[in-house]
Amino acid sequence: MNHAWDLVVVQAREQLRAAKQRRKGDRLVIACQERTYWLVNRPPPGIPSVLEQGPERSSCAAAGRAQLTQSPEFYRQEVERCRKALARARVKSSVCLEAYLNFSSQRGPHDPFLSGCLPSNPWVTDDDTYWTVNAPSVAVPTKLRVERWGFSFQELLGDPVGRAHFLAFLGTEFSAENLSFWEACEELRYGGQAQVPALVDSVYQQFLAPGAARWVNVDSRTMESTLAGLRRPHRYVLDDAQLHIYMLMKKDSYPRFLKSAAYRDLLAVAVVPAEARRRAFPFLRKPPHPSPSPTLLPASTSAEPVAAASDSACGDRGT
């Protein structure tokens, strides 16, 4: 898997280099050609393509397509579709390739299948130390795990250990109620249906009601829509308030957490597991070279045993 992934990354780099070296006029021509190809080869709606129907029904499909394209409704739909296609925002292929390469280079060392596991690989050995050091709740996390918290805010919230350290940091800034409110909304969203009305009332009284013990700062428009939805409570009634608090933590508290002394100290004391034995997958270091198939061996190599056998048989008959 590692050498196959390297091939994909190399191809992306070559495509990115070729796209950057291409002149602007050539890039426009290629983009127009590709767009025109898909506009021309797009079958009309409701009529399957000839390849999908088979050769025996191609004539019927062509007749139905011709009949459909004669209707004014078809052309109105095509004009509307082309208008939406022209107004759609598009991203350059070079920008997509560059983002893909940055994503691969950032997360490659943290992928156990691509970069190997420390201290050993639990998928092919009986040593489960890898699962122990990366358990949902550990006293000291690994360094790779702590580094992943800096990739995105969602990565931090998805790790129970990271969320606990982030809650402790918010407590030093007197804003721990924001994360507690987000966790309560997650419990409401994925909890049982019978407990939804009670959970909605509990979250409102604890975080959103006037004079609440752990009041969170929500803007007036979001509060109005939330209060309107509380008349008929459901599991998604607090989504707007949850999104507001989520963006507040992501843009304000999360960058300060990554720059704080608590995060730097956690990186300094994080565990770096040592390799306990030889790697179970030698192809993580070099591409595999499988044994050649007997049917693909050279004729000289395969003919030598046959010739030796015939010579010995002739000698036996001569004696």
Side-chain angles (χ1 to χ4, degrees):
M1 183 180 295
N2 189 30
H3 71 276
W5 184 263
D6 291 340
L7 177 61
V8 174
V9 174
V10 169
Q11 288 178 346
R13 285 188 180 136
E14 289 298 325
Q15 293 179 7
L16 178 61
R17 183 182 60 81
K20 288 184 176 181
Q21 291 180 354
R22 200 175 290 123
R23 294 181 301 177
K24 182 178 180 180
D26 296 339
R27 290 199 298 267
L28 292 175
V29 170
I30 292 175
C32 292
Q33 287 177 347
E34 184 177 0
R35 191 179 306 174
T36 305
Y37 173 82
W38 291 111
L39 289 176
V40 171
N41 292 274
R42 177 179 178 272
I47 300 296
S49 63
V50 177
L51 295 177
E52 296 175 355
Q53 297 230 359
E56 65 278 0
R57 301 179 62 185
S58 60
S59 58
C60 297
R65 189 178 293 106
Q67 183 179 2
L68 181 62
T69 54
Q70 293 176 0
S71 61
E73 182 64 25
F74 168 75
Y75 290 107
R76 279 196 291 268
Q77 293 178 0
E78 286 295 307
V79 170
E80 183 65 23
R81 185 182 61 80
C82 293
R83 184 181 294 112
K84 291 181 180 179
L86 291 174
R88 188 184 303 119
R90 288 179 170 82
V91 182
K92 295 181 180 179
S93 59
S94 59
V95 177
C96 294
L97 291 171
E98 191 170 2
Y100 171 74
L101 291 175
N102 292 335
F103 180 86
S104 301
S105 61
Q106 182 188 48
R107 297 184 180 261
H110 299 266
D111 195 318
F113 284 102
L114 299 179
S115 302
C117 301
L118 292 178
S120 63
N121 195 325
W123 283 277
V124 296
T125 63
D126 294 332
D127 188 2
D128 59 350
T129 311
Y130 179 81
W131 303 123
T132 304
V133 297
N134 291 280
S137 179
V138 292
V140 181
T142 61
K143 188 173 183 180
L144 290 177
R145 189 173 183 176
V146 178
E147 289 176 351
R148 282 198 299 269
W149 300 346
F151 290 169
S152 64
F153 186 51
Q154 189 63 35
E155 190 81 27
L156 174 65
L157 293 183
D159 191 343
V161 178
R163 194 162 62 244
H165 284 279
F166 185 59
L167 181 62
F169 170 77
L170 292 178
T172 60
E173 295 191 341
F174 306 99
S175 58
E177 63 275 359
N178 290 337
L179 184 58
S180 300
F181 173 72
W182 181 87
E183 292 177 340
C185 292
E186 288 292 299
E187 182 182 359
L188 170 64
R189 177 180 295 182
Y190 299 106
Q193 181 63 31
Q195 290 79 23
V196 166
L199 285 175
V200 169
D201 183 69
S202 175
V203 173
Y204 175 74
Q205 296 297 334
Q206 187 177 2
F207 296 100
L208 298 175
R214 308 184 68 185
W215 183 78
V216 293
N217 186 13
V218 180
D219 62 281
S220 59
R221 181 178 300 180
T222 304
M223 181 61 72
E224 289 176 2
S225 63
T226 302
L227 292 177
L230 288 177
R231 300 170 186 171
R232 300 181 62 181
H234 52 86
R235 65 174 65 252
Y236 305 108
V237 70
L238 299 176
D239 280 4
D240 292 341
Q242 183 187 15
L243 179 61
H244 177 80
I245 297 300
Y246 175 86
M247 297 304 298
L248 184 65
M249 292 189 297
K250 180 179 179 180
K251 295 181 178 179
D252 187 31
S253 302
Y254 176 61
R256 289 203 304 271
F257 171 71
L258 296 181
K259 298 177 182 178
S260 65
Y263 183 73
R264 292 196 303 268
D265 295 342
L266 192 61
L267 270 176
V269 300
V271 178
V272 181
E275 190 170 5
R277 62 185 65 184
R278 294 182 59 187
R279 292 184 176 271
F281 290 133
F283 58 80
L284 292 176
R285 296 302 182 188
K286 57 182 179 180
H289 297 286
S291 303
S293 174
T295 59
L296 301 179
L297 289 174
S300 60
T301 306
S302 59
E304 288 177 359
V306 178
S310 60
D311 292 343
S312 61
C314 293
D316 293 341
R317 285 196 298 267
T319 57

